[in-house]
Amino acid sequence: MYPLGKYPLAPSVRNLVPDGSELPDLVLHRGSTAVPEYNNPDLMPGMYPTLFPAGTGGFDIPDRTCAISFQKQAEYCLDLADRSFRYHHSFLFVALNIIQRRTAHLQTHFTVRRSKFETVATRLIAVKSSVLQSVADHLENEGKYSGLTGEQRAALDLLKHVNTIAARIPGSQAAKVFMRNEIRSYCGFFGLPHLYITLNPSAAHSPIFQVIFGDETIDLSKQFPILVSARERALRLAKDPVAGADFYNFCITAIFRYLFGWDYDKRESTPSGGILGKIESFYGSSE
């Protein structure tokens, strides 16, 4: 489906209603080539005409007065008072998928041992993209190594000397290794941690999440506020994962600010400290 902004509705295609008046149809164009993902302001309005009814407000607009990244604009859409974006059945997942792919495109690097750099670089430049594609198709179809041609074998063997580095991609194995190295650096600089703690705030049973979700009947001044049924609370959490993420971030921030006495603005412990005294440093990660 092509974006509607690039292909306006055709007024010649119309339907007749019983009273004789005419209404234009919604024309969805199609083609043999894929719609470009980068630098295409019409991509999101074309995929989600109900979220962008006017066909404007797309992403990656080149002449925007203040430049904004794809991720920042997606977060803005999910934080709007109109919750159509966060309640949509696929917008959240498609936006996240695009963000992850762009992160992979920009943060993935190849490294080679210095002793073999010149040789590998020369051979790598000489490899044709069609050969790499044929090798990928062969492996995808579970083909055997013996079934490769000499040129394909040379390309596949060349990859053994190339390492992929993707430490900045959240959730990747390289990112986990990067975090472990940071923790080891913390231990070397500050010493071994004095306390290990696991925080698991439950949004489904918290009255605070119900308020973040939009339930205005919750009275947080009471010690035991009256909540909706457990089933309804679970449905609310499934319906609004953005509110669940906001609740998690709110809880973690509140615990460290008011319980442990950490000043997020100054990135240091408050003068009075918290229940554990003054914190010199901490390292946290989410599963």
Side-chain angles (χ1 to χ4, degrees):
M1 182 177 71
Y2 284 97
L4 297 181
K6 300 181 68 173
Y7 298 92
L9 300 180
S12 60
V13 182
R14 299 180 180 277
N15 281 336
L16 293 177
V17 295
D19 60 357
S21 60
E22 296 180 350
L23 294 176
D25 287 330
L26 179 63
V27 180
L28 302 179
H29 295 266
R30 56 190 176 88
S32 58
T33 58
V35 176
E37 176 183 318
Y38 284 92
N39 303 319
N40 185 4
D42 297 319
L43 178 63
M44 283 299 192
M47 288 194 296
Y48 300 106
T50 58
L51 298 179
F52 301 89
T56 60
F59 294 64
D60 298 330
I61 298 178
D63 55 351
R64 188 187 296 275
T65 304
C66 181
I68 181 173
S69 65
F70 187 98
Q71 180 172 346
K72 288 293 183 182
Q73 187 168 350
E75 294 174 353
Y76 169 79
C77 292
L78 296 175
D79 287 334
L80 288 173
D82 179 8
R83 302 194 174 190
S84 300
F85 286 90
R86 62 169 67 182
Y87 288 170
H88 195 276
H89 68 280
S90 66
F91 174 81
L92 179 68
F93 301 100
V94 170
L96 176 62
N97 183 265
I98 292 176
I99 293 172
Q100 288 179 327
R101 285 208 307 273
R102 293 191 175 189
T103 304
H105 294 165
L106 298 175
Q107 301 297 336
T108 302
H109 309 281
F110 296 106
T111 61
V112 181
R113 291 184 180 274
R114 180 178 298 180
S115 59
K116 298 182 178 181
F117 179 81
E118 294 295 338
T119 303
V120 173
T122 303
R123 293 174 57 189
L124 189 61
I125 295 175
V127 175
K128 300 179 181 179
S129 59
S130 58
V131 175
L132 293 177
Q133 183 62 49
S134 63
V135 173
D137 295 338
H138 184 79
L139 297 177
E140 183 179 1
N141 296 326
E142 300 182 358
K144 297 181 179 180
Y145 180 82
S146 58
L148 295 174
T149 63
E151 191 177 18
Q152 291 174 330
R153 291 185 183 183
L156 184 60
D157 294 338
L158 183 61
L159 296 180
K160 296 179 181 179
H161 303 288
V162 179
N163 298 317
T164 304
I165 304 299
R168 296 299 181 180
I169 301 177
S172 64
Q173 185 63 30
K176 297 177 184 179
V177 174
F178 180 83
M179 294 174 63
R180 291 169 187 160
N181 293 335
E182 280 192 328
I183 294 175
R184 293 190 184 97
S185 300
Y186 265 59
C187 294
F189 188 82
F190 296 104
L192 291 176
H194 292 257
L195 179 68
Y196 294 89
I197 184 172
T198 299
L199 303 175
N200 187 22
S202 177
H205 304 292
S206 172
I208 298 178
F209 168 77
Q210 309 307 319
V211 175
I212 296 177
F213 176 81
D215 190 342
E216 299 179 355
T217 63
I218 303 297
D219 187 1
L220 294 180
S221 63
K222 296 182 179 180
Q223 184 177 4
F224 300 105
I226 300 177
L227 304 179
V228 295
S229 65
R231 181 179 184 276
E232 180 62 26
R233 296 198 301 270
L235 290 175
R236 289 180 175 183
L237 180 59
K239 180 179 181 181
D240 197 344
V242 177
D246 290 340
F247 166 78
Y248 176 83
N249 183 70
F250 171 82
C251 289
I252 300 301
T253 303
I255 289 173
F256 274 90
R257 175 170 293 169
Y258 301 108
L259 195 62
F260 297 149
W262 183 261
D263 191 332
Y264 279 91
D265 297 328
K266 297 181 179 180
R267 302 177 66 86
E268 62 182 17
S269 182
T270 58
S272 59
I275 61 173
L276 302 175
K278 293 185 178 181
I279 299 179
E280 187 174 10
S281 67
F282 70 92
Y283 192 97
S285 62
S286 59
E287 293 185 2

